[in-house]
mmCIF file of all heavy atoms in Angstrom:
data_model
loop_
_atom_site.group_PDB
_atom_site.id
_atom_site.type_symbol
_atom_site.label_atom_id
_atom_site.label_comp_id
_atom_site.label_asym_id
_atom_site.label_seq_id
_atom_site.Cartn_x
_atom_site.Cartn_y
_atom_site.Cartn_z
ATOM 1 N N HIS A 3 3.925 1.465 -0.972
ATOM 2 C CA HIS A 3 4.620 1.553 -2.255
ATOM 3 C C HIS A 3 3.712 2.076 -3.339
ATOM 4 O O HIS A 3 4.120 2.836 -4.183
ATOM 5 C CB HIS A 3 5.168 0.187 -2.644
ATOM 6 C CG HIS A 3 6.525 -0.041 -2.072
ATOM 7 N ND1 HIS A 3 7.137 -1.258 -2.077
ATOM 8 C CD2 HIS A 3 7.369 0.815 -1.475
ATOM 9 C CE1 HIS A 3 8.318 -1.135 -1.507
ATOM 10 N NE2 HIS A 3 8.464 0.108 -1.140
ATOM 11 N N GLU A 38 24.756 -8.914 -10.016
ATOM 12 C CA GLU A 38 24.133 -8.835 -8.683
ATOM 13 C C GLU A 38 23.583 -10.186 -8.238
ATOM 14 O O GLU A 38 23.659 -10.539 -7.068
ATOM 15 C CB GLU A 38 23.004 -7.797 -8.682
ATOM 16 C CG GLU A 38 23.511 -6.376 -8.671
ATOM 17 C CD GLU A 38 22.429 -5.377 -8.300
ATOM 18 O OE1 GLU A 38 21.628 -5.651 -7.390
ATOM 19 O OE2 GLU A 38 22.399 -4.309 -8.932
ATOM 20 N N VAL A 104 13.542 -7.568 -14.665
ATOM 21 C CA VAL A 104 13.220 -6.230 -14.148
ATOM 22 C C VAL A 104 14.447 -5.732 -13.401
ATOM 23 O O VAL A 104 15.145 -6.511 -12.738
ATOM 24 C CB VAL A 104 11.947 -6.263 -13.262
ATOM 25 C CG1 VAL A 104 12.072 -7.225 -12.105
ATOM 26 C CG2 VAL A 104 11.579 -4.866 -12.761
ATOM 27 N N ILE A 106 16.085 -2.045 -11.340
ATOM 28 C CA ILE A 106 15.993 -0.651 -10.873
ATOM 29 C C ILE A 106 17.388 -0.247 -10.380
ATOM 30 O O ILE A 106 18.027 -1.030 -9.651
ATOM 31 C CB ILE A 106 14.966 -0.512 -9.709
ATOM 32 C CG1 ILE A 106 13.560 -0.975 -10.126
ATOM 33 C CG2 ILE A 106 14.928 0.928 -9.160
ATOM 34 C CD1 ILE A 106 12.870 -0.156 -11.199
ATOM 35 N N ARG A 111 15.872 2.147 -5.488
ATOM 36 C CA ARG A 111 15.180 0.943 -5.013
ATOM 37 C C ARG A 111 14.347 1.213 -3.759
ATOM 38 O O ARG A 111 14.557 2.204 -3.081
ATOM 39 C CB ARG A 111 16.218 -0.171 -4.748
ATOM 40 C CG ARG A 111 16.784 -0.667 -6.060
ATOM 41 C CD ARG A 111 17.773 -1.792 -5.897
ATOM 42 N NE ARG A 111 18.409 -2.015 -7.212
ATOM 43 C CZ ARG A 111 19.474 -2.752 -7.414
ATOM 44 N NH1 ARG A 111 20.040 -3.382 -6.408
ATOM 45 N NH2 ARG A 111 19.963 -2.881 -8.639
ATOM 46 N N LYS A 112 13.459 0.296 -3.476
ATOM 47 C CA LYS A 112 12.585 0.356 -2.300
ATOM 48 C C LYS A 112 11.670 1.585 -2.338
ATOM 49 O O LYS A 112 11.333 2.160 -1.307
ATOM 50 C CB LYS A 112 13.407 0.332 -0.992
ATOM 51 C CG LYS A 112 14.254 -0.912 -0.797
ATOM 52 C CD LYS A 112 13.457 -2.141 -0.437
ATOM 53 C CE LYS A 112 13.063 -2.176 1.027
ATOM 54 N NZ LYS A 112 12.115 -3.281 1.307
ATOM 55 N N LYS A 113 11.312 2.036 -3.530
ATOM 56 C CA LYS A 113 10.380 3.155 -3.665
ATOM 57 C C LYS A 113 9.145 2.737 -4.471
ATOM 58 O O LYS A 113 8.368 3.573 -4.901
ATOM 59 C CB LYS A 113 11.053 4.325 -4.400
ATOM 60 C CG LYS A 113 12.242 4.953 -3.690
ATOM 61 C CD LYS A 113 12.870 6.022 -4.588
ATOM 62 C CE LYS A 113 14.212 6.499 -4.089
ATOM 63 N NZ LYS A 113 14.158 7.216 -2.817
ATOM 64 N N GLY A 114 9.042 1.437 -4.741
ATOM 65 C CA GLY A 114 7.873 0.958 -5.473
ATOM 66 C C GLY A 114 8.006 1.005 -6.990
ATOM 67 O O GLY A 114 7.023 0.771 -7.701
ATOM 68 N N ALA A 116 9.839 -0.980 -9.099
ATOM 69 C CA ALA A 116 9.720 -2.302 -9.730
ATOM 70 C C ALA A 116 8.253 -2.736 -9.731
ATOM 71 O O ALA A 116 7.764 -3.309 -10.705
ATOM 72 C CB ALA A 116 10.587 -3.326 -8.999
ATOM 73 N N ARG A 117 7.571 -2.407 -8.650
ATOM 74 C CA ARG A 117 6.141 -2.746 -8.601
ATOM 75 C C ARG A 117 5.372 -2.020 -9.717
ATOM 76 O O ARG A 117 4.507 -2.608 -10.362
ATOM 77 C CB ARG A 117 5.567 -2.373 -7.230
ATOM 78 C CG ARG A 117 4.092 -2.640 -7.098
ATOM 79 C CD ARG A 117 3.598 -2.248 -5.707
ATOM 80 N NE ARG A 117 2.196 -1.833 -5.766
ATOM 81 C CZ ARG A 117 1.184 -2.676 -5.812
ATOM 82 N NH1 ARG A 117 1.395 -3.972 -5.798
ATOM 83 N NH2 ARG A 117 -0.045 -2.228 -5.878
ATOM 84 N N TYR A 137 7.604 -15.898 -14.494
ATOM 85 C CA TYR A 137 8.901 -15.234 -14.288
ATOM 86 C C TYR A 137 9.826 -16.249 -13.610
ATOM 87 O O TYR A 137 9.452 -16.848 -12.602
ATOM 88 C CB TYR A 137 8.723 -14.007 -13.381
ATOM 89 C CG TYR A 137 9.946 -13.112 -13.319
ATOM 90 C CD1 TYR A 137 9.941 -11.869 -13.938
ATOM 91 C CD2 TYR A 137 11.107 -13.509 -12.661
ATOM 92 C CE1 TYR A 137 11.068 -11.049 -13.907
ATOM 93 C CE2 TYR A 137 12.234 -12.704 -12.625
ATOM 94 C CZ TYR A 137 12.201 -11.468 -13.243
ATOM 95 O OH TYR A 137 13.315 -10.665 -13.219
ATOM 96 N N THR A 139 13.431 -17.114 -11.657
ATOM 97 C CA THR A 139 14.516 -16.487 -10.899
ATOM 98 C C THR A 139 15.216 -17.524 -10.017
ATOM 99 O O THR A 139 14.791 -18.679 -9.955
ATOM 100 C CB THR A 139 14.005 -15.291 -10.067
ATOM 101 O OG1 THR A 139 15.128 -14.552 -9.577
ATOM 102 C CG2 THR A 139 13.160 -15.726 -8.881
ATOM 103 N N HIS A 143 16.619 -15.516 -4.433
ATOM 104 C CA HIS A 143 16.460 -14.086 -4.743
ATOM 105 C C HIS A 143 15.219 -13.541 -4.020
ATOM 106 O O HIS A 143 14.172 -13.302 -4.621
ATOM 107 C CB HIS A 143 16.354 -13.884 -6.247
ATOM 108 C CG HIS A 143 16.640 -12.481 -6.685
ATOM 109 N ND1 HIS A 143 16.557 -11.397 -5.832
ATOM 110 C CD2 HIS A 143 17.016 -11.970 -7.880
ATOM 111 C CE1 HIS A 143 16.857 -10.301 -6.495
ATOM 112 N NE2 HIS A 143 17.153 -10.622 -7.736
ATOM 113 N N GLN A 145 14.340 -10.654 -2.634
ATOM 114 C CA GLN A 145 13.701 -9.367 -2.994
ATOM 115 C C GLN A 145 12.711 -9.564 -4.136
ATOM 116 O O GLN A 145 11.592 -9.066 -4.104
ATOM 117 C CB GLN A 145 14.723 -8.321 -3.478
ATOM 118 C CG GLN A 145 15.654 -7.810 -2.455
ATOM 119 C CD GLN A 145 17.060 -8.302 -2.747
ATOM 120 O OE1 GLN A 145 17.290 -9.505 -2.734
ATOM 121 N NE2 GLN A 145 17.988 -7.403 -2.999
ATOM 122 N N ASN A 148 9.719 -11.746 -3.073
ATOM 123 C CA ASN A 148 8.783 -10.934 -2.273
ATOM 124 C C ASN A 148 7.968 -10.001 -3.165
ATOM 125 O O ASN A 148 6.751 -9.876 -3.006
ATOM 126 C CB ASN A 148 9.541 -10.035 -1.279
ATOM 127 C CG ASN A 148 10.126 -10.807 -0.124
ATOM 128 O OD1 ASN A 148 9.736 -11.948 0.106
ATOM 129 N ND2 ASN A 148 11.062 -10.208 0.588
ATOM 130 N N LEU A 149 8.676 -9.333 -4.079
ATOM 131 C CA LEU A 149 8.003 -8.391 -4.991
ATOM 132 C C LEU A 149 6.873 -9.081 -5.754
ATOM 133 O O LEU A 149 5.744 -8.564 -5.810
ATOM 134 C CB LEU A 149 9.050 -7.828 -5.977
ATOM 135 C CG LEU A 149 8.538 -7.088 -7.207
ATOM 136 C CD1 LEU A 149 7.932 -5.758 -6.804
ATOM 137 C CD2 LEU A 149 9.677 -6.845 -8.202
ATOM 138 N N LYS A 152 3.970 -10.435 -3.466
ATOM 139 C CA LYS A 152 3.085 -9.349 -2.992
ATOM 140 C C LYS A 152 2.122 -8.885 -4.068
ATOM 141 O O LYS A 152 1.202 -8.117 -3.798
ATOM 142 C CB LYS A 152 3.925 -8.151 -2.551
ATOM 143 C CG LYS A 152 4.484 -8.308 -1.176
ATOM 144 C CD LYS A 152 4.763 -6.969 -0.557
ATOM 145 C CE LYS A 152 5.065 -7.144 0.910
ATOM 146 N NZ LYS A 152 5.557 -5.920 1.511
HETATM 147 C C1 COA B 1 14.534 -6.715 -7.268
HETATM 148 C C2 COA B 1 14.376 -5.248 -7.637
HETATM 149 C C3 COA B 1 13.921 -5.155 -9.093
HETATM 150 C C4 COA B 1 13.314 -4.614 -6.725
HETATM 151 O O1 COA B 1 13.129 -3.259 -7.151
HETATM 152 P P1 COA B 1 12.506 -2.139 -6.177
HETATM 153 O O2 COA B 1 12.085 -0.978 -7.032
HETATM 154 O O3 COA B 1 13.428 -1.886 -5.077
HETATM 155 O O4 COA B 1 11.222 -2.896 -5.628
HETATM 156 P P2 COA B 1 9.938 -2.173 -5.006
HETATM 157 O O5 COA B 1 10.366 -0.960 -4.273
HETATM 158 O O6 COA B 1 8.909 -2.025 -6.069
HETATM 159 O O7 COA B 1 9.531 -3.260 -3.928
HETATM 160 C C5 COA B 1 8.316 -3.908 -3.945
HETATM 161 C C6 COA B 1 8.419 -5.116 -3.029
HETATM 162 O O8 COA B 1 9.514 -5.946 -3.424
HETATM 163 C C7 COA B 1 10.117 -6.541 -2.268
HETATM 164 N N1 COA B 1 11.469 -6.012 -2.093
HETATM 165 C C8 COA B 1 12.086 -5.053 -2.829
HETATM 166 N N2 COA B 1 13.349 -4.849 -2.358
HETATM 167 C C9 COA B 1 13.509 -5.691 -1.319
HETATM 168 C C10 COA B 1 14.596 -5.961 -0.422
HETATM 169 N N3 COA B 1 15.778 -5.304 -0.507
HETATM 170 N N4 COA B 1 14.419 -6.907 0.533
HETATM 171 C C11 COA B 1 13.259 -7.586 0.632
HETATM 172 N N5 COA B 1 12.182 -7.369 -0.179
HETATM 173 C C12 COA B 1 12.313 -6.443 -1.140
HETATM 174 C C13 COA B 1 9.250 -6.150 -1.117
HETATM 175 O O9 COA B 1 8.207 -7.090 -1.011
HETATM 176 C C14 COA B 1 8.721 -4.821 -1.581
HETATM 177 O O10 COA B 1 7.553 -4.440 -0.923
HETATM 178 P P3 COA B 1 7.628 -3.825 0.601
HETATM 179 O O11 COA B 1 8.696 -2.772 0.611
HETATM 180 O O12 COA B 1 6.236 -3.323 0.807
HETATM 181 O O13 COA B 1 8.010 -4.961 1.483
HETATM 182 C C15 COA B 1 15.715 -4.470 -7.431
HETATM 183 O O14 COA B 1 16.233 -4.791 -6.157
HETATM 184 C C16 COA B 1 16.763 -4.744 -8.484
HETATM 185 O O15 COA B 1 16.800 -4.083 -9.534
HETATM 186 N N6 COA B 1 17.653 -5.722 -8.215
HETATM 187 C C17 COA B 1 18.744 -6.046 -9.171
HETATM 188 C C18 COA B 1 18.199 -6.644 -10.449
HETATM 189 C C19 COA B 1 17.531 -7.981 -10.229
HETATM 190 O O16 COA B 1 17.919 -8.758 -9.376
HETATM 191 N N7 COA B 1 16.506 -8.239 -11.062
HETATM 192 C C20 COA B 1 15.798 -9.497 -11.062
HETATM 193 C C21 COA B 1 16.585 -10.565 -11.740
HETATM 194 S S1 COA B 1 15.775 -12.158 -11.671
#
Side-chain angles (χ1 to χ4, degrees):
H3 273 168
E38 285 195 41
V104 57
I106 301 295
R111 290 182 190 168
K112 299 286 281 171
K113 296 176 192 294
R117 178 180 150 80
Y137 191 108
T139 192
H143 199 339
Q145 292 111 298
N148 287 344
L149 166 70
K152 279 205 169 170

